[in-house]
Amino acid sequence: MPEDNGRGRPFRDSAPRRNPRQDNQSGRPQSGGDGPRRRGGEGAAAPRRSGGPRDRDSRPPRPVEPDLPEDLEASELDPAVRRDLLSLDKNNATEVARHMVMVGRLIADDPRAALTHARAARQRAGRIAVVRETAGIAAYHAGEWAEALSELRAARRMAGGPGLLAVMADCERGLGRPERAIELGRSDEARMLSGDDASELRIVVAGARMDMGQYDQAVVTLQTPDLEGDKTGSAPARLFYAYADALVAAGRVDDGVQWFLRSAAADVEGETDAEERVEELTGQ
């Protein structure tokens, strides 16, 4: 799924989008940032035991939120997502939507800034599944693996379904738990996936196998009918690249070169460095 520019559905069906080589060829994410931040409470403090009226000062202070551009409109958020916010107070829903728009605008170029807006939206609307999901994806892009996993689990408890399983598995790898990523790949929910979602999960599971030095198993994990045919686009390019990487790691360099070439041919958007890998492996 292409990255959102802040004017559509923000990350509802996102999958891992890192350059497959940024982690020493294994696909393992590098930790970034200063670690997960503690999340504040989302509601008012409990009433006083005296039974008297709750004093306004008894509310915990709301964390400072990042600034929003004055001309930023909540209407820029996809209507289907805005409908998920209808249970909120109108003014609160507007502010949550504006923060979510900013997440979409910033996620590609400044993921840590995007995360501050996602946290602000979560602070205001932590019981809305799409808000928690957005917070999880923003944390994932910022390299906050534990926070991302927590948020995505919360979103799935609220909304159900097998979506974002590949992202969750990749977070497990980021936390140094490749065996848990493999377990997710074997889950009943994983069997519910199809198309690009299933392909993304296979890529992550293969990466987890490589984390554990199981290179031949990584190759087998990626051997599916999706490798057949001369396909183009992001998903085939990423799958071909991952397969080539696994082949090289397993000692099948010549085969790997051929699949890097296929990845380069499929990569019409220039997402991978497949051509550079061919040059490195062939010396040409």
Side-chain angles (χ1 to χ4, degrees):
M1 171 181 169
E3 299 294 356
D4 191 276
N5 63 0
R7 296 179 179 273
R9 296 170 65 89
F11 327 115
R12 184 167 287 227
D13 302 306
S14 277
R17 290 288 158 184
R18 297 185 318 278
N19 183 309
R21 238 200 127 204
Q22 73 177 43
D23 54 358
N24 301 322
Q25 303 182 17
S26 71
R28 182 172 180 172
Q30 299 287 335
S31 179
D34 54 4
R37 299 180 184 177
R38 182 174 299 176
R39 296 194 292 275
E42 105 182 59
R48 295 176 177 175
R49 292 189 179 183
S50 64
R54 183 162 56 197
D55 190 289
R56 185 172 299 177
D57 292 338
S58 68
R59 292 175 179 270
R62 186 185 295 277
V64 176
E65 297 183 356
D67 293 334
L68 292 165
E70 292 185 3
D71 61 348
L72 183 68
E73 298 290 340
S75 59
E76 295 182 35
L77 194 63
D78 185 272
V81 179
R82 293 207 311 274
R83 282 196 292 271
D84 289 345
L85 308 180
L86 289 177
S87 62
L88 303 174
D89 169 84
K90 182 177 180 180
N91 291 334
N92 191 32
T94 296
E95 292 304 291
V96 170
R98 295 175 75 214
H99 280 298
M100 291 176 73
V101 170
M102 286 303 298
V103 175
R105 288 185 177 184
L106 294 168
I107 193 75
D109 298 324
D110 194 348
R112 296 212 65 82
L115 180 55
T116 65
H117 285 281
R119 286 169 172 164
R122 181 199 59 207
Q123 178 68 25
R124 287 176 169 271
R127 295 174 182 168
I128 306 296
V130 70
V131 174
R132 301 297 290 270
E133 184 177 292
T134 300
I137 293 297
Y140 171 79
H141 280 269
E144 300 286 3
W145 318 121
E147 182 176 359
L149 195 57
S150 176
E151 294 299 325
L152 294 174
R153 283 172 174 166
R156 285 163 62 85
R157 285 195 300 269
M158 296 173 183
L164 299 172
L165 201 63
V167 181
M168 294 175 66
D170 217 16
C171 289
E172 294 286 11
R173 294 179 62 213
L175 292 168
R177 302 187 300 224
E179 67 284 351
R180 294 193 184 183
I182 293 171
E183 289 175 8
L184 283 174
R186 293 170 172 167
S187 66
D188 292 338
E189 290 176 318
R191 286 189 280 272
M192 297 170 60
L193 297 175
S194 61
D196 290 350
D197 290 335
S199 179
E200 288 288 355
L201 182 56
R202 280 194 293 271
I203 290 173
V204 173
V205 171
R209 291 288 188 188
M210 293 173 70
D211 293 344
M212 300 171 69
Q214 300 174 357
Y215 305 119
D216 290 330
Q217 291 94 323
V219 170
V220 172
T221 297
L222 295 166
Q223 289 176 337
T224 72
D226 290 334
L227 292 175
E228 299 174 1
D230 295 325
K231 304 172 185 176
T232 61
S234 176
R238 287 167 52 74
L239 178 61
F240 297 165
Y241 188 108
Y243 189 53
D245 208 25
L247 287 167
V248 171
R252 298 168 57 182
V253 176
D254 291 342
D255 290 337
V257 167
Q258 295 305 309
W259 281 96
F260 276 128
L261 289 170
R262 289 195 61 183
S263 176
D267 189 8
V268 295
E269 297 182 4
E271 291 188 30
T272 73
D273 63 348
E275 292 182 356
E276 296 175 18
R277 294 296 303 279
V278 172
E279 292 175 2
E280 291 177 4
L281 291 168
T282 62
Q284 300 178 1

